[in-house]
Amino acid sequence: MAATDFFSHSPTLPKTLKSPLNQNPFFQIPIVPLKPSPRLLSLKAVFSPNPTKTSTQTSPIHHCFSKSSDGFLHCEGLKVQDIMESVERRPFYLYSKPQITRNVVAYKEALEGLSSIIGYAIKANNNLKILEHLRQLGCGAVLVSGNELRLALRAHFDPTKCIFNGNGKLLEDLVLAAEKGVFVNVDSEFDLENIVAAARIACKKVNVLLRINPDVDPQVHPYVATGNKNSKFGIRNEKLQWFLDAVKAHPNELKLAGAHCHLGSTITKVDIFRDAAVLMVNYIDQIRAQGFEVDYLNIGGGLGIDYYHSGAVLPTPRDLIDTVRDLVLSRNLKLIIEPGRSLIANTCCLVNRVTGVKTNGTKNFVVIDGSMAELIRPSLYDAYQHIELVSPAPPDAEISTFDVVGPVCESADFLGKDRELQTPAKGAGLVVHDAGAYCMSMASTYNLKMRPPEYWVEEDGSVSKIRHGETFEDHIRFFEGL
């Protein structure tokens, strides 16, 4: 059976499709005709595919979203405006499947010559279709909850290429990890106790990594720093011996496979990874000196991207890997990395419509139908994400400075502040860029703003829905029969 079911066009379908309120959208598959130039592109509904081999691309990386000279935003050559006119009239996430592939290939090429696992951090984006694609490309998965573990298994990830992180892993989830042969990071004394108990329940020896806190400053926002001494994650390096003795005391339950660290997120200086790797291989030397046969160094993830679209020259996956390559080879180690943001963030934007423009005193606002409910990063930790219009504004539109805000009843409901934009017309399209990571995965239904649908542009230029948007009826179903 083919990996994707294809539906032919119906010329009588309207450009905007809406499910009647009394129908379950999970059984309504929209088939939308698009009319881009130069070729006809189709919208497909994507179902869970069987495992298939996906070819990789080796061409130079280019970005999937670009502005043409006429002022229209394109995704892989397809006008975003055309997509807006052909799908549900509500905020939606739009991805480039080829960009996801290009990002993975960049890591795979950087890792050539090393024995390695690319463990995609599911917390960044948990869309099942995206996970299946990443698995087809050869990635493993990094998990921070039992449900992420279950989702990884549903997406057919190889459990032996999965790593279970977290500072509060539950016993029942650890039992599942032990049964499936997943790597488990030891984060604390009680975590080690629970892993031992899980191993006994599952009657399986668990491959564990010690998550050592190297106390390296990643020079990022404190909310996304995880490798300093005040972090809730990991074990302090001065307690390493206690944990080694504890592992020795449980030879039937635990196999110490390696060491792990994770410094934080949005890191833009690869020498920080180098500093951590130097410390980590020294710890591995100490561990090996006590008779442990450890094979893995896990340096975590956290590579940053150019959220500002400033043209800044930021480290690439090759820059990161080359920074630690000699250390890994010098100890004959297998390298595990845990990219999330750098694999998925720049593959997506949140597409919105302008509800209106208003002025309060000296402050101008562009009010859109999207909000902090669909994309909370700016409200949560004042993150910057680039914003631009989908199509050119009217010729007489003034350029002004705006706060881009949503309809949610919170002053914190903003997508961007002090953005210089041409004054958009009512109904104009507006996108928030680099929304693939930590956006949809953190979306909520606050103010009953139902979580949006997701689409991607495929390699052949067609557009597929990869997640249904939630509806009011979905919310009501949680209360049926109570």
Side-chain angles (χ1 to χ4, degrees), residues 359-373:
T359 299
N360 286 349
T362 59
K363 177 67 74 172
N364 301 319
F365 299 92
V366 173
V367 184
I368 61 174
D369 54 359
S371 70
M372 65 184 291

Side-chain angles (χ1 to χ4, degrees), residues 54-280:
T54 302
S55 61
T56 59
Q57 303 177 17
T58 58
S59 58
I61 291 179
H62 64 276
H63 198 268
C64 52
F65 291 99
S66 61
K67 243 344 175 12
S68 59
S69 58
D70 60 4
F72 284 92
L73 183 67
H74 292 73
C75 179
E76 299 293 350
L78 176 63
K79 277 187 179 180
V80 175
Q81 184 69 48
D82 288 342
I83 300 174
M84 291 181 64
E85 294 172 358
S86 303
V87 300
E88 300 167 75
R89 191 176 178 84
R90 59 188 290 186
F92 65 93
Y93 280 97
L94 177 64
Y95 299 82
S96 161
K97 187 179 181 183
Q99 185 70 49
I100 298 173
T101 300
R102 290 192 290 266
N103 290 349
V104 173
V105 169
Y107 270 103
K108 292 176 75 172
E109 291 179 346
L111 287 161
E112 288 179 356
L114 295 177
S115 178
S116 62
I117 296 174
I118 302 174
Y120 168 70
I122 288 182
K123 65 177 181 174
N125 188 306
N126 55 32
N127 183 290
L128 179 60
K129 314 317 301 178
I130 292 173
L131 297 183
E132 288 170 337
H133 182 53
L134 290 168
R135 183 261 305 159
Q136 290 167 356
L137 292 171
C139 291
V142 175
L143 327 159
V144 292
S145 73
N147 281 339
E148 286 190 356
L149 170 56
R150 294 175 184 90
L151 187 62
L153 296 173
R154 181 71 62 89
H156 303 293
F157 280 96
D158 179 352
T160 64
K161 295 172 65 176
C162 293
I163 304 95
F164 193 8
N165 290 337
N167 69 309
K169 299 184 286 291
L170 300 179
L171 178 60
E172 56 265 34
D173 300 330
L174 287 168
V175 171
L176 178 60
E179 291 172 345
K180 299 300 182 181
V182 171
F183 287 104
V184 179
N185 275 328
V186 178
D187 194 87
S188 65
E189 292 87 346
F190 71 79
D191 195 36
L192 179 66
E193 179 181 321
N194 285 337
I195 296 168
V196 170
R200 290 171 177 167
I201 293 170
C203 298
K204 292 284 187 69
K205 183 180 289 190
V206 180
N207 286 317
V208 296
L209 305 172
L210 294 180
R211 180 167 180 171
I212 301 173
N213 188 324
D215 198 14
V216 172
D217 181 9
Q219 301 175 37
V220 297
H221 191 289
Y223 286 8
V224 294
T226 59
N228 55 45
K229 63 183 180 181
N230 295 319
S231 173
K232 72 174 184 177
F233 300 103
I235 63 177
R236 292 291 293 134
N237 48 34
E238 61 264 24
K239 296 204 71 175
L240 175 60
Q241 189 59 53
W242 184 94
F243 283 93
L244 294 178
D245 291 340
V247 172
K248 289 177 184 176
H250 298 93
N252 297 322
E253 294 85 11
L254 306 176
K255 165 66 171 70
L256 182 56
H260 170 273
C261 71
H262 194 292
L263 305 179
S265 192
T266 68
I267 299 171
T268 57
K269 298 178 180 179
V270 293
D271 58 343
I272 293 171
F273 289 99
R274 172 77 181 190
D275 293 344
V278 168
L279 293 173
M280 294 302 295

Side-chain angles (χ1 to χ4, degrees), residues 22 50 96 132 158 166 177 192 254 260 344 352 359 373 386 397 409 444 460 464 471:
N22 63 351
N50 295 324
S96 161
E132 288 170 337
D158 179 352
L192 179 66
L254 306 176
H260 170 273
I344 197 68
N352 313 270
T359 299
H386 187 61
C409 191
S444 74
D460 62 0
S464 302
T471 68

